[in-house]
Amino acid sequence: MDVTGKTVFITGAAGGIGLAMAQSFAARGCMIMLADIDEAALAEAQENLKSKGADVGTVVCDVADEQAVRRAADATIARFGKVHIVVNNAGVGTGGRAGETSLDDWRWIVDINLMGVVYGVEIFTPLIKAHGEGGYFVNTASMAGHVASPAMAPYHATKFAVVGYSESLREDLAKDGIGISVLCPAWVRTHIYKSHLNSPTAMAVNPADEAAADFSVMKDVVESGIAPELAADWTVECVEADRFYVFTHPSMLQYIDMRYDQIRADYAACAADERLAAEPESMPIPR
């Protein structure tokens, strides 16, 4: 895809990977609409891009709010006339063990990490189709959408969902000339480890107590990750190449292989059972 001159809408765009992607797209001559819930950081990001000659607008948007996303879409069309590329990037993190995780925290992370992507796709798809010039979605998932770890079930659930959702969308939207990439980074130097501070549980306990609510275990690992600018540049290059899975850490392949080996082993048990082996050969593939 030639992104030059395209209009790009990005959520979670006031910092981290979102802002870095805005910079990367802008460097390729794109017009940028920045969307974020943090109004002050959004204004700072806009000034940063304008100082580099970018054509950029902003809109305050809580991606967990359907109507807020609709207003952001309307603002994008009002500002630029059309939209071609939508980057559903906003996300948060929280963990917890089974039986100990607040259902309010579950709803909070699902509303942002999954429904925020769903709103972006459902609301912007008709707008992209309307101009007939094709388009593209980038949905930010994570390596946590492919490989699971303990005490992080809410985060994994949302990121696995974004991967599966994007895989289905890829087939649905191809006929309309709309491409899809799903971004699956490992550790990137962002403030994701602080996002739990805004969860319902953390806010109810003491929103100012960063030590209590912080993902302190993750902090050092995240801050030793790759630069968001590297992740962003690579993502935009993958969009240009129409690459579906956007991975950022070659070292993570070993964990993909471990998961695949377990799937193969358990599938072999299924295949070896005579009762299951008798299924009709003409049974359609679920896809």
Side-chain angles (χ1 to χ4, degrees), residues 200-233:
T201 296
M203 295 294 285
V205 174
N206 183 356
D209 188 359
E210 182 172 328
D214 193 2
F215 272 155
S216 56
V217 175
M218 292 176 58
K219 183 175 185 294
D220 291 341
V221 182
V222 170
E223 291 186 343
S224 67
I226 66 173
E229 292 78 13
L230 174 56
D233 284 343

Side-chain angles (χ1 to χ4, degrees), residues 95-275:
R97 298 184 180 278
E100 301 173 7
T101 307
S102 162
L103 293 181
D104 287 337
D105 284 0
W106 264 102
R107 296 183 187 97
W108 174 73
I109 195 170
V110 169
D111 282 347
I112 296 171
N113 287 7
L114 176 55
M115 294 310 299
V117 175
V118 172
Y119 295 149
V121 171
E122 293 297 332
I123 291 167
F124 278 91
T125 294
L127 301 178
I128 295 174
K129 288 181 178 180
H131 57 61
E133 298 172 8
Y136 214 95
F137 285 99
V138 178
N139 296 333
T140 298
S142 170
M143 278 303 299
H146 296 274
V147 180
S149 56
M152 288 291 291
Y155 189 68
H156 287 297
T158 59
K159 295 305 184 179
F160 267 81
V162 170
V163 171
Y165 179 46
S166 300
E167 288 175 348
S168 181
L169 288 173
R170 187 187 191 193
E171 298 199 24
D172 284 343
L173 296 177
K175 65 182 181 299
D176 299 305
I178 301 174
I180 298 280
S181 288
V182 57
L183 173 57
C184 304
W187 307 115
V188 181
R189 292 199 299 272
T190 70
H191 293 304
I192 185 69
Y193 64 88
K194 290 185 176 182
S195 60
H196 179 67
L197 292 169
N198 295 314
S199 70
T201 296
M203 295 294 285
V205 174
N206 183 356
D209 188 359
E210 182 172 328
D214 193 2
F215 272 155
S216 56
V217 175
M218 292 176 58
K219 183 175 185 294
D220 291 341
V221 182
V222 170
E223 291 186 343
S224 67
I226 66 173
E229 292 78 13
L230 174 56
D233 284 343
W234 173 240
T235 300
V236 176
E237 290 170 18
C238 288
V239 169
E240 293 173 319
D242 192 24
R243 187 170 290 118
F244 178 67
Y245 297 107
V246 182
F247 294 112
T248 61
H249 289 66
S251 62
M252 294 290 118
L253 180 59
Q254 61 182 310
Y255 301 108
I256 295 287
D257 287 341
M258 289 168 61
R259 182 169 186 264
Y260 178 74
D261 289 345
Q262 181 177 355
I263 291 172
R264 292 286 300 183
D266 290 344
Y267 206 95
C270 159
D273 190 295
E274 293 181 357
R275 298 167 299 170

